[in-house]
Amino acid sequence: MKIKLSINKKKQELDILPGEKLLDVLRSRGYHSVKEGCREGNCGACVVLLDGKPVNSCLVFAAHCQERQITTLEGLGSPGSLHPLQEAFVQSGAIQCGYCTPGMILSSKALLDENPDPSDDEIEIALDGNLCRCTGYVQILEAVKKGAKLLKKVKKTGDKAGGK
Amino acid sequence: MSIDDYFIPRNVKDALLLLEKGEKGYYILSGGTSLAFSKPKGIKGIVDLSRSGLDYIKKQKDGIHIGAATPVSELIKNPLFSSYFGGVAKEAALNLATTPLRNLITIGGNVLRIYLWSNLPVLFLSLGARFKTASKNDDAFFEADEFFSSQPLPRLKNGRILKEIILPPDDKAAKGAFLKFSLTKTDFALLNVAAVLWIRKGKCTKARIAIGAASPLPMRLIKAEEVLTNAVLTQEVISTAAKVGAQSIKPLRDFRVSDDYKSRIAPALIESCLISAWKKFHKDNA
C-alpha cells in the first residue's frame, strides 16, 4: 500500500506493507538515527516525533502515519550546524555510547516545544520512556536544562547554534 | 504479522461498516500498542480509529465526555483534570507507562483490554464512570461496576465499539487519590489503588475505593467503603478501613511477587491512598 506523509518536513509517498512498523520503514529508508532496542516500547531508543509528540516507533504501524508528520533526529541538525539541544548534549557530556541519544533529544525537544522552562520533575517525566545504560542520567538532565537556555538564546539572537 | 488491509475510517459509522465487512478478520486499532505486540490468529485487516472522531474531551452538564480514542497523555495535559476530584485522574495517568507510550495508548484501549496491572479501570471504577458503546443500530450504556465485571472486549465484539467514557461532573466536596506500588516508577503495578472520598460538614458521606492487580479484574472494596461512610475520618478510622479492605481481597501471585507479599502490602497501600485523598481536604482548608 502507498502512504503519504511528511518526514522531517519533506513530503513523501512510501510504498509499505500494511503490517510494517514505522521503525522498520524509517530505518530501511536511511533514517538510521532511529535505533532498534527492545522492540517492546520499553527502552525509547526508537522514539520519533509523531505530529510533534514522542512515540515508540517500534509499536506504531507505518500505515497509521498516513498524512502525518514524522520528525527524526536527522531533521534537527547536521554535523556542521547542530541543533541547540544537540549542542547542549555534547557540552554536558550527556553522551557515552550514543544509542539512546536520538530518542533522548527528541523527547527533550517535544518537552521544550511545549514548555520552554521545565522543572526537574517535568524533565524527568518527559524522559521517563528513554533508558540510558551508560551515563546515569545526571548529565542528561543537565543537558536538557542547558538546551532550554540555548534555545531561549537562539530565539533572542536568531543564532541557530545557540551562540556557540 | 501478515495483514492485507489497513483502513483509517473518518467516522464511527464507516468504522462499524468496515468491521461488519471484515467479520472476524478485521481488528480495531485504537492506540495500537497491544495490537503491535500480539499477533492475532486470522487477522486480515486493521481498522484504525485514530481519525474517526473519537479523540476529544468535552465538559458537559452531565460530566466529562472522553472519546475512546483519546490518548492517555490528555489526562495529564488537559487542564480539566488538574483539579478534577483532587487530581486523581492525572495521578493515575502519570503512573501509567511512559511519556511516549502515553502518547500512543488510548483511554478506550486501556479499559477494553484489561491487564492485571491496568491503571485506568481502577480509576474509572473509583469515579463511577459510565461507558457508551455504539453499534450500527443503537448506543448502549454501561455503569463502571457492570463494565468491569468481566473482560469488556469480548462483550463488544459483535459489531459494537466503545465510543465514549463519561466521567461524573467534578464535585468540590470530593477528593480522590491514586497510588501504584511497583518496582520502579514506570513499571507495571504490583498493586494499585484509587480512592474517592466525599466529605460534607466534617463527615465522610460517601467513599469509592477500587484496587487493581489483586485479581484478574479491578474490584471495589465495598466493606472498606462501608467503614468510612458516615464516619468522621481519623487516622484510626482510615487504618481500620484499609485493613478491612485488604481482608476482602485474595491477591493472585504473578511472576514478580508472591500472593503473600501482595497481601502484606495491600493494607499499607490502601491506607496511604486514603490518607492522600483525605489530606487534600486539609490543603483546601489551609
Side-chain angles (χ1 to χ4, degrees):
Chain A
M1 67 182 285
K2 285 188 170 25
I3 58 164
K4 287 180 181 173
L5 77 171
S6 156
I7 303 176
N8 299 330
K9 296 183 181 168
K10 283 182 190 164
K11 287 184 181 174
Q12 304 206 24
E13 186 174 276
L14 303 180
D15 203 357
I16 59 159
L17 295 171
E20 265 190 297
K21 302 290 163 45
L22 180 61
L23 165 67
D24 300 316
V25 168
L26 289 170
R27 285 190 62 82
S28 67
R29 267 79 176 174
Y31 298 96
H32 293 140
S33 74
V34 188
K35 305 296 185 201
E36 179 180 347
C38 65
R39 257 191 190 273
E40 293 184 342
N42 287 325
C43 73
C46 69
V47 160
V48 300
L49 302 185
L50 177 60
D51 291 340
K53 292 177 182 168
V55 295
N56 303 97
S57 63
C58 65
L59 296 183
V60 176
F61 288 94
H64 177 73
C65 303
Q66 165 85 346
E67 295 165 11
R68 300 180 76 170
Q69 295 182 15
I70 307 292
T71 307
T72 71
L73 197 72
E74 286 88 349
L76 260 66
S78 60
S81 174
L82 296 181
H83 182 277
L85 263 167
Q86 292 172 307
E87 188 64 48
F89 269 66
V90 173
Q91 286 181 17
S92 304
I95 303 161
Q96 197 164 316
C97 83
Y99 207 76
C100 72
T101 309
M104 287 282 181
I105 291 179
L106 289 169
S107 289
S108 305
K109 181 183 185 307
L111 168 70
L112 297 179
D113 284 347
E114 273 189 3
N115 178 2
D117 203 11
S119 65
D120 288 2
D121 282 351
E122 286 167 335
I123 297 170
E124 283 183 24
I125 290 169
L127 298 183
D128 65 4
N130 298 87
L131 299 184
C132 172
R133 301 289 80 177
C134 306
T135 66
Y137 301 103
V138 173
Q139 292 99 322
I140 292 172
L141 297 180
E142 289 304 317
V144 180
K145 288 183 218 169
K146 189 181 275 269
K149 282 180 190 164
L150 290 178
L151 278 165
K152 278 181 195 167
K153 207 170 174 182
V154 169
K155 277 185 186 168
K156 271 187 186 174
T157 63
D159 176 0
K160 200 179 173 191
K164 184 185 167 187
Chain B
M1 193 184 294
S2 172
I3 297 166
D4 300 327
D5 299 312
Y6 195 104
F7 303 98
I8 307 178
R10 301 299 159 146
N11 55 57
V12 172
K13 194 179 160 192
D14 287 352
L16 289 168
L17 284 171
L18 281 164
L19 289 169
E20 189 180 51
K21 182 184 155 197
E23 295 180 344
K24 287 180 179 174
Y26 283 5
Y27 278 68
I28 291 175
L29 180 145
S30 187
T33 53
S34 281
L35 196 57
F37 264 138
S38 58
K39 293 173 181 166
K41 280 182 186 170
I43 185 169
K44 290 180 201 158
I46 288 176
V47 179
D48 179 338
L49 295 184
S50 63
R51 276 159 275 184
S52 57
L54 293 177
D55 179 358
Y56 58 83
I57 293 173
K58 295 175 191 165
K59 189 178 177 184
Q60 294 182 6
K61 273 186 185 172
D62 64 341
I64 299 177
H65 292 236
I66 304 172
T70 306
V72 171
S73 54
E74 286 303 312
L75 293 177
I76 299 166
K77 288 179 183 168
N78 192 303
L80 273 179
F81 296 108
S82 55
S83 62
Y84 176 77
F85 281 92
V88 64
K90 192 173 174 178
E91 287 175 10
L94 275 169
N95 277 290
L96 195 162
T98 62
T99 296
L101 284 172
R102 287 191 292 266
N103 287 328
L104 290 172
I105 298 170
T106 61
I107 296 167
N110 195 254
V111 299
L112 275 180
R113 192 189 291 271
I114 301 176
Y115 293 101
L116 188 61
W117 48 78
S118 297
N119 279 12
L120 297 188
V122 178
L123 168 75
F124 292 146
L125 204 49
S126 76
L127 283 169
R130 296 169 71 219
F131 299 84
K132 182 180 181 181
T133 67
S135 74
K136 220 172 70 175
N137 303 318
D138 61 358
D139 290 341
F141 292 84
F142 296 87
E143 298 294 330
D145 293 277
E146 186 190 354
F147 195 74
F148 296 124
S149 63
S150 64
Q151 278 287 350
L153 192 58
R155 276 187 276 145
L156 293 181
K157 271 198 171 167
N158 298 324
R160 187 171 283 282
I161 62 169
L162 177 64
K163 204 170 175 183
E164 202 172 73
I165 297 107
I166 306 164
L167 302 183
D170 197 10
D171 184 342
K172 294 300 169 198
K175 306 280 180 203
F178 183 96
L179 274 188
K180 176 178 85 168
F181 184 81
S182 57
L183 298 179
T184 66
K185 188 182 172 297
T186 58
D187 197 6
F188 297 130
L190 295 173
L191 277 180
N192 51 17
V193 180
V196 182
L197 303 173
W198 281 257
I199 298 182
R200 288 185 171 87
K201 295 178 182 171
K203 197 186 266 188
C204 178
T205 56
K206 185 178 164 188
R208 284 183 70 103
I209 312 167
I211 191 162
S215 49
L217 294 164
M219 58 183 281
R220 290 265 304 278
L221 299 177
I222 305 282
K223 286 185 179 169
E225 293 172 4
E226 286 170 359
V227 171
L228 298 171
T229 305
N230 294 321
V232 174
L233 296 190
T234 61
Q235 175 70 53
E236 201 180 348
V237 170
I238 286 174
S239 293
T240 303
K243 280 175 197 153
V244 168
Q247 281 162 8
S248 65
I249 61 170
K250 287 181 182 168
L252 286 176
R253 79 174 61 180
D254 62 45
F255 65 95
R256 297 163 300 171
V257 289
S258 66
D259 45 353
D260 181 52
Y261 185 80
K262 282 191 180 184
S263 293
R264 286 166 190 258
I265 60 170
L269 192 70
I270 299 164
E271 183 174 331
S272 297
C273 187
L274 289 170
I275 287 172
S276 175
W278 186 39
K279 276 186 176 171
K280 290 177 184 176
F281 289 95
H282 301 152
K283 271 186 197 165
D284 273 6
N285 296 330

PDB file of all heavy atoms in Angstrom, chain B residues 145-167:
ATOM      1  N   ASP B 145     -19.307  -0.532  37.348  1.00  0.00           N
ATOM      2  CA  ASP B 145     -19.328  -1.817  38.068  1.00  0.00           C
ATOM      3  C   ASP B 145     -19.699  -2.963  37.122  1.00  0.00           C
ATOM      4  O   ASP B 145     -19.152  -4.060  37.222  1.00  0.00           O
ATOM      5  CB  ASP B 145     -20.311  -1.746  39.248  1.00  0.00           C
ATOM      6  CG  ASP B 145     -19.821  -0.786  40.307  1.00  0.00           C
ATOM      7  OD1 ASP B 145     -18.993  -1.181  41.134  1.00  0.00           O
ATOM      8  OD2 ASP B 145     -20.240   0.390  40.283  1.00  0.00           O
ATOM      9  N   GLU B 146     -20.624  -2.700  36.212  1.00  0.00           N
ATOM     10  CA  GLU B 146     -21.033  -3.732  35.263  1.00  0.00           C
ATOM     11  C   GLU B 146     -19.952  -3.920  34.181  1.00  0.00           C
ATOM     12  O   GLU B 146     -19.616  -5.047  33.812  1.00  0.00           O
ATOM     13  CB  GLU B 146     -22.363  -3.328  34.614  1.00  0.00           C
ATOM     14  CG  GLU B 146     -22.931  -4.416  33.728  1.00  0.00           C
ATOM     15  CD  GLU B 146     -24.108  -3.946  32.889  1.00  0.00           C
ATOM     16  OE1 GLU B 146     -24.568  -2.800  33.076  1.00  0.00           O
ATOM     17  OE2 GLU B 146     -24.543  -4.724  32.025  1.00  0.00           O
ATOM     18  N   PHE B 147     -19.434  -2.785  33.702  1.00  0.00           N
ATOM     19  CA  PHE B 147     -18.452  -2.809  32.609  1.00  0.00           C
ATOM     20  C   PHE B 147     -17.227  -3.642  32.980  1.00  0.00           C
ATOM     21  O   PHE B 147     -16.679  -4.369  32.161  1.00  0.00           O
ATOM     22  CB  PHE B 147     -18.031  -1.375  32.278  1.00  0.00           C
ATOM     23  CG  PHE B 147     -17.311  -1.235  30.969  1.00  0.00           C
ATOM     24  CD1 PHE B 147     -17.999  -1.314  29.769  1.00  0.00           C
ATOM     25  CD2 PHE B 147     -15.949  -0.997  30.925  1.00  0.00           C
ATOM     26  CE1 PHE B 147     -17.334  -1.173  28.548  1.00  0.00           C
ATOM     27  CE2 PHE B 147     -15.283  -0.850  29.719  1.00  0.00           C
ATOM     28  CZ  PHE B 147     -15.988  -0.937  28.526  1.00  0.00           C
ATOM     29  N   PHE B 148     -16.794  -3.510  34.236  1.00  0.00           N
ATOM     30  CA  PHE B 148     -15.580  -4.211  34.669  1.00  0.00           C
ATOM     31  C   PHE B 148     -15.878  -5.529  35.386  1.00  0.00           C
ATOM     32  O   PHE B 148     -15.007  -6.097  36.044  1.00  0.00           O
ATOM     33  CB  PHE B 148     -14.731  -3.305  35.564  1.00  0.00           C
ATOM     34  CG  PHE B 148     -14.207  -2.089  34.840  1.00  0.00           C
ATOM     35  CD1 PHE B 148     -14.463  -0.812  35.315  1.00  0.00           C
ATOM     36  CD2 PHE B 148     -13.468  -2.230  33.673  1.00  0.00           C
ATOM     37  CE1 PHE B 148     -13.993   0.310  34.641  1.00  0.00           C
ATOM     38  CE2 PHE B 148     -12.990  -1.122  32.994  1.00  0.00           C
ATOM     39  CZ  PHE B 148     -13.256   0.147  33.480  1.00  0.00           C
ATOM     40  N   SER B 149     -17.109  -6.027  35.276  1.00  0.00           N
ATOM     41  CA  SER B 149     -17.448  -7.297  35.933  1.00  0.00           C
ATOM     42  C   SER B 149     -16.874  -8.488  35.159  1.00  0.00           C
ATOM     43  O   SER B 149     -16.814  -9.599  35.669  1.00  0.00           O
ATOM     44  CB  SER B 149     -18.964  -7.429  36.087  1.00  0.00           C
ATOM     45  OG  SER B 149     -19.566  -7.466  34.814  1.00  0.00           O
ATOM     46  N   SER B 150     -16.498  -8.260  33.912  1.00  0.00           N
ATOM     47  CA  SER B 150     -15.784  -9.275  33.134  1.00  0.00           C
ATOM     48  C   SER B 150     -14.919  -8.519  32.124  1.00  0.00           C
ATOM     49  O   SER B 150     -15.036  -7.291  32.010  1.00  0.00           O
ATOM     50  CB  SER B 150     -16.762 -10.209  32.418  1.00  0.00           C
ATOM     51  OG  SER B 150     -17.515  -9.474  31.472  1.00  0.00           O
ATOM     52  N   GLN B 151     -14.074  -9.208  31.398  1.00  0.00           N
ATOM     53  CA  GLN B 151     -13.254  -8.519  30.382  1.00  0.00           C
ATOM     54  C   GLN B 151     -14.191  -7.822  29.392  1.00  0.00           C
ATOM     55  O   GLN B 151     -15.027  -8.489  28.765  1.00  0.00           O
ATOM     56  CB  GLN B 151     -12.369  -9.523  29.640  1.00  0.00           C
ATOM     57  CG  GLN B 151     -11.094  -9.886  30.359  1.00  0.00           C
ATOM     58  CD  GLN B 151     -10.043  -8.777  30.336  1.00  0.00           C
ATOM     59  OE1 GLN B 151     -10.174  -7.780  29.619  1.00  0.00           O
ATOM     60  NE2 GLN B 151      -9.007  -8.929  31.144  1.00  0.00           N
ATOM     61  N   PRO B 152     -14.082  -6.516  29.237  1.00  0.00           N
ATOM     62  CA  PRO B 152     -15.043  -5.799  28.381  1.00  0.00           C
ATOM     63  C   PRO B 152     -14.937  -6.138  26.895  1.00  0.00           C
ATOM     64  O   PRO B 152     -15.941  -6.180  26.204  1.00  0.00           O
ATOM     65  CB  PRO B 152     -14.710  -4.325  28.616  1.00  0.00           C
ATOM     66  CG  PRO B 152     -13.936  -4.285  29.880  1.00  0.00           C
ATOM     67  CD  PRO B 152     -13.199  -5.583  29.961  1.00  0.00           C
ATOM     68  N   LEU B 153     -13.722  -6.411  26.398  1.00  0.00           N
ATOM     69  CA  LEU B 153     -13.540  -6.549  24.954  1.00  0.00           C
ATOM     70  C   LEU B 153     -14.385  -7.660  24.315  1.00  0.00           C
ATOM     71  O   LEU B 153     -15.048  -7.414  23.307  1.00  0.00           O
ATOM     72  CB  LEU B 153     -12.046  -6.746  24.637  1.00  0.00           C
ATOM     73  CG  LEU B 153     -11.656  -6.615  23.162  1.00  0.00           C
ATOM     74  CD1 LEU B 153     -12.032  -5.255  22.594  1.00  0.00           C
ATOM     75  CD2 LEU B 153     -10.163  -6.851  22.980  1.00  0.00           C
ATOM     76  N   PRO B 154     -14.404  -8.863  24.876  1.00  0.00           N
ATOM     77  CA  PRO B 154     -15.205  -9.918  24.221  1.00  0.00           C
ATOM     78  C   PRO B 154     -16.686  -9.546  24.097  1.00  0.00           C
ATOM     79  O   PRO B 154     -17.339  -9.920  23.131  1.00  0.00           O
ATOM     80  CB  PRO B 154     -15.028 -11.119  25.158  1.00  0.00           C
ATOM     81  CG  PRO B 154     -13.755 -10.868  25.873  1.00  0.00           C
ATOM     82  CD  PRO B 154     -13.669  -9.385  26.028  1.00  0.00           C
ATOM     83  N   ARG B 155     -17.191  -8.793  25.072  1.00  0.00           N
ATOM     84  CA  ARG B 155     -18.606  -8.404  25.019  1.00  0.00           C
ATOM     85  C   ARG B 155     -18.900  -7.429  23.880  1.00  0.00           C
ATOM     86  O   ARG B 155     -20.033  -7.287  23.455  1.00  0.00           O
ATOM     87  CB  ARG B 155     -19.016  -7.748  26.338  1.00  0.00           C
ATOM     88  CG  ARG B 155     -19.402  -8.748  27.391  1.00  0.00           C
ATOM     89  CD  ARG B 155     -19.957  -8.052  28.592  1.00  0.00           C
ATOM     90  NE  ARG B 155     -18.906  -7.607  29.482  1.00  0.00           N
ATOM     91  CZ  ARG B 155     -18.950  -6.504  30.192  1.00  0.00           C
ATOM     92  NH1 ARG B 155     -19.970  -5.694  30.086  1.00  0.00           N
ATOM     93  NH2 ARG B 155     -17.960  -6.185  30.992  1.00  0.00           N
ATOM     94  N   LEU B 156     -17.858  -6.745  23.422  1.00  0.00           N
ATOM     95  CA  LEU B 156     -18.079  -5.705  22.411  1.00  0.00           C
ATOM     96  C   LEU B 156     -17.798  -6.184  20.996  1.00  0.00           C
ATOM     97  O   LEU B 156     -17.837  -5.403  20.061  1.00  0.00           O
ATOM     98  CB  LEU B 156     -17.176  -4.503  22.708  1.00  0.00           C
ATOM     99  CG  LEU B 156     -17.495  -3.727  23.973  1.00  0.00           C
ATOM    100  CD1 LEU B 156     -16.548  -2.558  24.115  1.00  0.00           C
ATOM    101  CD2 LEU B 156     -18.918  -3.233  23.986  1.00  0.00           C
ATOM    102  N   LYS B 157     -17.522  -7.459  20.833  1.00  0.00           N
ATOM    103  CA  LYS B 157     -17.040  -7.882  19.516  1.00  0.00           C
ATOM    104  C   LYS B 157     -18.097  -7.887  18.420  1.00  0.00           C
ATOM    105  O   LYS B 157     -17.765  -7.712  17.264  1.00  0.00           O
ATOM    106  CB  LYS B 157     -16.366  -9.249  19.630  1.00  0.00           C
ATOM    107  CG  LYS B 157     -14.888  -9.086  19.944  1.00  0.00           C
ATOM    108  CD  LYS B 157     -14.103 -10.319  19.660  1.00  0.00           C
ATOM    109  CE  LYS B 157     -12.614 -10.026  19.771  1.00  0.00           C
ATOM    110  NZ  LYS B 157     -11.823 -11.232  19.813  1.00  0.00           N
ATOM    111  N   ASN B 158     -19.344  -8.086  18.776  1.00  0.00           N
ATOM    112  CA  ASN B 158     -20.347  -8.248  17.719  1.00  0.00           C
ATOM    113  C   ASN B 158     -20.770  -6.902  17.125  1.00  0.00           C
ATOM    114  O   ASN B 158     -21.874  -6.423  17.332  1.00  0.00           O
ATOM    115  CB  ASN B 158     -21.569  -9.000  18.260  1.00  0.00           C
ATOM    116  CG  ASN B 158     -21.168 -10.387  18.710  1.00  0.00           C
ATOM    117  OD1 ASN B 158     -20.307 -11.012  18.101  1.00  0.00           O
ATOM    118  ND2 ASN B 158     -21.741 -10.845  19.811  1.00  0.00           N
ATOM    119  N   GLY B 159     -19.868  -6.308  16.389  1.00  0.00           N
ATOM    120  CA  GLY B 159     -20.199  -5.061  15.695  1.00  0.00           C
ATOM    121  C   GLY B 159     -20.441  -3.886  16.617  1.00  0.00           C
ATOM    122  O   GLY B 159     -21.138  -2.939  16.265  1.00  0.00           O
ATOM    123  N   ARG B 160     -19.910  -3.934  17.803  1.00  0.00           N
ATOM    124  CA  ARG B 160     -20.116  -2.838  18.763  1.00  0.00           C
ATOM    125  C   ARG B 160     -18.750  -2.313  19.175  1.00  0.00           C
ATOM    126  O   ARG B 160     -17.830  -3.096  19.396  1.00  0.00           O
ATOM    127  CB  ARG B 160     -20.886  -3.377  19.966  1.00  0.00           C
ATOM    128  CG  ARG B 160     -21.334  -2.342  20.975  1.00  0.00           C
ATOM    129  CD  ARG B 160     -22.278  -2.962  21.990  1.00  0.00           C
ATOM    130  NE  ARG B 160     -23.618  -3.152  21.460  1.00  0.00           N
ATOM    131  CZ  ARG B 160     -24.531  -2.199  21.331  1.00  0.00           C
ATOM    132  NH1 ARG B 160     -24.267  -0.967  21.707  1.00  0.00           N
ATOM    133  NH2 ARG B 160     -25.717  -2.466  20.845  1.00  0.00           N
ATOM    134  N   ILE B 161     -18.623  -1.003  19.256  1.00  0.00           N
ATOM    135  CA  ILE B 161     -17.337  -0.443  19.711  1.00  0.00           C
ATOM    136  C   ILE B 161     -17.579   0.490  20.898  1.00  0.00           C
ATOM    137  O   ILE B 161     -18.698   0.989  21.097  1.00  0.00           O
ATOM    138  CB  ILE B 161     -16.611   0.341  18.589  1.00  0.00           C
ATOM    139  CG1 ILE B 161     -17.436   1.540  18.119  1.00  0.00           C
ATOM    140  CG2 ILE B 161     -16.243  -0.556  17.434  1.00  0.00           C
ATOM    141  CD1 ILE B 161     -16.651   2.471  17.224  1.00  0.00           C
ATOM    142  N   LEU B 162     -16.538   0.697  21.667  1.00  0.00           N
ATOM    143  CA  LEU B 162     -16.603   1.680  22.755  1.00  0.00           C
ATOM    144  C   LEU B 162     -16.443   3.058  22.145  1.00  0.00           C
ATOM    145  O   LEU B 162     -15.485   3.314  21.415  1.00  0.00           O
ATOM    146  CB  LEU B 162     -15.481   1.420  23.770  1.00  0.00           C
ATOM    147  CG  LEU B 162     -15.392   2.412  24.922  1.00  0.00           C
ATOM    148  CD1 LEU B 162     -16.634   2.361  25.813  1.00  0.00           C
ATOM    149  CD2 LEU B 162     -14.142   2.155  25.755  1.00  0.00           C
ATOM    150  N   LYS B 163     -17.398   3.910  22.430  1.00  0.00           N
ATOM    151  CA  LYS B 163     -17.380   5.244  21.827  1.00  0.00           C
ATOM    152  C   LYS B 163     -16.868   6.306  22.806  1.00  0.00           C
ATOM    153  O   LYS B 163     -16.105   7.189  22.446  1.00  0.00           O
ATOM    154  CB  LYS B 163     -18.816   5.585  21.398  1.00  0.00           C
ATOM    155  CG  LYS B 163     -18.940   6.600  20.302  1.00  0.00           C
ATOM    156  CD  LYS B 163     -20.380   6.647  19.835  1.00  0.00           C
ATOM    157  CE  LYS B 163     -20.590   7.744  18.818  1.00  0.00           C
ATOM    158  NZ  LYS B 163     -22.002   7.835  18.417  1.00  0.00           N
ATOM    159  N   GLU B 164     -17.297   6.197  24.030  1.00  0.00           N
ATOM    160  CA  GLU B 164     -17.065   7.320  24.957  1.00  0.00           C
ATOM    161  C   GLU B 164     -17.012   6.818  26.402  1.00  0.00           C
ATOM    162  O   GLU B 164     -17.714   5.880  26.762  1.00  0.00           O
ATOM    163  CB  GLU B 164     -18.255   8.273  24.798  1.00  0.00           C
ATOM    164  CG  GLU B 164     -18.042   9.671  25.225  1.00  0.00           C
ATOM    165  CD  GLU B 164     -19.243  10.538  24.810  1.00  0.00           C
ATOM    166  OE1 GLU B 164     -20.315  10.421  25.431  1.00  0.00           O
ATOM    167  OE2 GLU B 164     -19.089  11.324  23.886  1.00  0.00           O
ATOM    168  N   ILE B 165     -16.201   7.500  27.189  1.00  0.00           N
ATOM    169  CA  ILE B 165     -16.202   7.282  28.640  1.00  0.00           C
ATOM    170  C   ILE B 165     -16.755   8.569  29.245  1.00  0.00           C
ATOM    171  O   ILE B 165     -16.291   9.669  28.899  1.00  0.00           O
ATOM    172  CB  ILE B 165     -14.771   7.014  29.174  1.00  0.00           C
ATOM    173  CG1 ILE B 165     -14.223   5.731  28.546  1.00  0.00           C
ATOM    174  CG2 ILE B 165     -14.751   6.904  30.687  1.00  0.00           C
ATOM    175  CD1 ILE B 165     -13.176   5.929  27.521  1.00  0.00           C
ATOM    176  N   ILE B 166     -17.734   8.434  30.106  1.00  0.00           N
ATOM    177  CA  ILE B 166     -18.359   9.627  30.703  1.00  0.00           C
ATOM    178  C   ILE B 166     -18.032   9.643  32.192  1.00  0.00           C
ATOM    179  O   ILE B 166     -18.434   8.744  32.944  1.00  0.00           O
ATOM    180  CB  ILE B 166     -19.885   9.620  30.486  1.00  0.00           C
ATOM    181  CG1 ILE B 166     -20.192   9.467  28.990  1.00  0.00           C
ATOM    182  CG2 ILE B 166     -20.515  10.903  31.036  1.00  0.00           C
ATOM    183  CD1 ILE B 166     -21.621   9.070  28.696  1.00  0.00           C
ATOM    184  N   LEU B 167     -17.277  10.664  32.585  1.00  0.00           N
ATOM    185  CA  LEU B 167     -16.917  10.807  33.993  1.00  0.00           C
ATOM    186  C   LEU B 167     -17.900  11.745  34.674  1.00  0.00           C
ATOM    187  O   LEU B 167     -18.400  12.686  34.047  1.00  0.00           O
ATOM    188  CB  LEU B 167     -15.497  11.368  34.126  1.00  0.00           C
ATOM    189  CG  LEU B 167     -14.381  10.563  33.454  1.00  0.00           C
ATOM    190  CD1 LEU B 167     -13.025  11.200  33.739  1.00  0.00           C
ATOM    191  CD2 LEU B 167     -14.397   9.127  33.935  1.00  0.00           C
TER     192      LEU B 167
END
